[in-house]
């Protein structure tokens, strides 16, 4: 078992006991714990890389062209 799996199992157990140990929801607690730990890992490693990255500039979006109905007005003679 990897360290990540052990950390997820431990966190899932703490979440489960904090909720009163409901039965039949092990997968929910596992996924919540997994999400928490992976988010912490990504945020922790991403903050250093974000500081070194060049700023991103964006251009304003082009205005959309509105299509006509296809009908033209005809003048009466």
């Amino acid at each position: 078992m990897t360290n990540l799996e052990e950390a997820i199992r431990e966190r899932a157990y703490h979440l489960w006991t904090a909720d009163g140990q409901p039965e039949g929801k092990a997968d929910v607690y596992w996924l919540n714990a997994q999400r928490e730990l992976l988010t912490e890992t990504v945020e922790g490693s991403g903050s250093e890389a974000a500081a070194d990255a060049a700023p991103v500039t964006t251009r304003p979006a082009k205005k959309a062209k509105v299509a006509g109905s296809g009908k033209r007005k005809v003048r009466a003679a």
Side-chain angles (χ1 to χ4, degrees):
M1 185 179 316
T2 66
N3 289 338
L4 179 59
E5 287 178 3
E6 290 175 24
I8 293 170
R9 182 181 311 280
E10 207 170 295
R11 181 64 184 145
Y13 177 78
H14 289 293
L15 293 172
W16 177 69
T17 56
D19 278 352
Q21 303 175 348
E23 292 191 29
K25 297 189 177 190
D27 55 342
V28 173
Y29 291 100
W30 180 273
L31 293 173
N32 286 337
Q34 184 180 42
R35 184 183 65 241
E36 284 182 16
L37 292 172
L38 292 177
T39 300
E40 289 173 8
T41 302
V42 169
E43 287 176 353
S45 65
S47 62
E48 295 168 5
D52 296 334
V56 176
T57 58
T58 59
R59 291 185 280 165
K62 293 181 180 180
K63 292 183 179 180
K65 293 183 179 180
V66 178
S69 64
K71 298 180 182 178
R72 295 185 181 214
K73 294 183 181 178
V74 179
R75 291 188 182 176

